[in-house]
Amino acid sequence: MSYQGIIETYKALLKIPDEMKAVTLLEGNTPLIPVPAIADQLGGDFDLRVKFEGLNPTGSFKDRGMTVAVSEAAHRGAKTVICASTGNTAASAAAYAARAGMRAIVIIPAGKVAAGKLAGAIAYGADVIQIDGSFDDALSLVVSISEKHPIALVNSLNPFRLEGQKSSAFEICDVLGDAPDWMALPVGNAGNITAYWMGYKQYHEVKGTSLPRILGVQAAGSAPLVLGHPVEKPETIATAIRIGRPARGEEALIAASESNGYIMAVTDDEILKAQKILASSGIWVEPASAAGLAGLVKEVNAGKLNLCGKKVVIICTGHGLKDPDVITGQFTKPQAVKAELTELERIILNG
Ligand code: AN7
């Protein structure tokens, strides 16, 4: 039978209501792409792969969680969903709510959401509201609203989001035949790292697969889990992870330490360099999604990680198309030439 999405594929392993109908866009089943050129650059004799979550239906990993959260909300009879978002959750909630015939309300920090995400939320028909505040402010507001009104919260505080997102760990184990030795990923609100660890532990219990060590990576200007305290005014070019008070922070720290891994920070410059390295292997991701590789590069170069002979997976959470301005902003305008063969040859052949 053709692929049916993550709920149908993994329903025996998901804690979801019986008889829940799946609201799906056939999310998941994303490729695990070998990137040997990047492994070489890291000096290594190791197996490095990218789980390209930007290839989900709305361009980010959020779709795995949203299919479950929206299906469950619809199952309960909810007519409206709400979320706070740095962008990707908004686009995903909007798409799945549209699919379910529900209203989506998304609250975003004004001026801090990448163009492709905002456009998605609008295209899918969400009510988009920008606030003069941060993601963290938006999250506490939507929590209050969902407590007072019959509106379903679909941020990763909703446990059904994590049920869906853990499916990526299952897919990785299914493809590799086991868990990787190391897995690196960006950490913002910390739902995803929590979900991966749940998934790996569950597969370990049910299928006997091994457990990976997890490297969680935050942006230096938004690194509450590295600093050990909330960040009141988080800043980073990786707007997806511009989060100062992660809702699942404690669980993220537990995931890191139980897995014998850790959470670290990288600068915006290191993130942009990693984005270029990925693009040079044909994988264009948004800045936040390059944080996992940025962390790996930093640790390998500092001699803190020896990956020789290991299987390593980097989670690239969102597509580069989400945030085109980061790229175009780095260039002056493309050269303009007359539509003439000799003129074009002169430019091309001179290099
Ligand atoms: C591309 O969309 O929080 O640590 O509101 O969009 O589970 O929060 C996005 C987060 C990593 C961090 N990569 O994941 C939102 C939002 C991308 C993201 C993260 C996000 P979590």
Side-chain angles (χ1 to χ4, degrees), residues 61-62 84-89 135 186-192 240-241 243 286 288-289 317-318:
F61 72 99
K62 303 286 182 181
S85 181
T86 58
N88 280 323
T89 301
F135 166 84
V187 176
N189 212 26
N192 212 28
I241 52 174
I243 295 172
E286 65 167 282
S289 300
T317 43

Side-chain angles (χ1 to χ4, degrees), residues 8-38:
E8 187 58 33
T9 305
Y10 292 111
K11 66 182 171 213
L13 297 170
L14 307 183
K15 283 190 212 89
I16 51 177
D18 297 337
E19 312 297 322
M20 182 186 88
K21 260 188 69 200
V23 177
T24 179
L25 286 161
L26 309 190
E27 59 297 308
N29 197 24
T30 55
L32 196 56
I33 308 171
V35 284
I38 302 179

Side-chain angles (χ1 to χ4, degrees), residues 187 217-227 229 231 233-238 241-244 264-271 291 294 298:
V187 176
V217 187
Q218 300 208 284
S222 309
L225 300 178
V226 180
L227 297 170
H229 59 76
V231 174
K233 290 196 165 45
E235 263 320 329
T236 168
I237 193 160
I241 52 174
R242 187 176 168 274
I243 295 172
M264 62 175 295
V266 293
T267 64
D268 281 5
D269 197 42
E270 289 165 332
I271 286 174
K298 189 169 190 161

Side-chain angles (χ1 to χ4, degrees), residues 32-78:
L32 196 56
I33 308 171
V35 284
I38 302 179
D40 281 351
Q41 237 176 299
L42 283 170
D45 189 8
F46 66 99
D47 178 348
L48 183 63
R49 303 191 199 197
V50 167
K51 178 76 167 157
F52 194 10
E53 288 287 277
L55 296 180
N56 275 295
T58 78
S60 87
F61 72 99
K62 303 286 182 181
D63 297 342
R64 292 180 185 275
M66 212 53 79
T67 181
V68 182
V70 170
S71 299
E72 193 275 336
H75 180 74
R76 275 189 284 127

Side-chain angles (χ1 to χ4, degrees), residues 274-330:
Q275 186 187 32
K276 283 205 174 114
I277 295 172
L278 285 159
S280 71
S281 274
I283 299 169
W284 180 30
V285 304
E286 65 167 282
S289 300
L293 176 61
L296 216 56
V297 168
K298 189 169 190 161
E299 297 307 85
V300 169
N301 289 344
K304 290 190 192 158
L305 274 186
N306 181 359
L307 301 178
C308 194
K310 300 275 196 282
K311 276 192 182 143
V312 182
V313 171
I314 310 164
I315 309 300
C316 286
T317 43
H319 202 287
L321 284 165
K322 292 279 192 168
D323 199 351
D325 299 340
V326 164
I327 302 298
T328 51
Q330 292 174 35

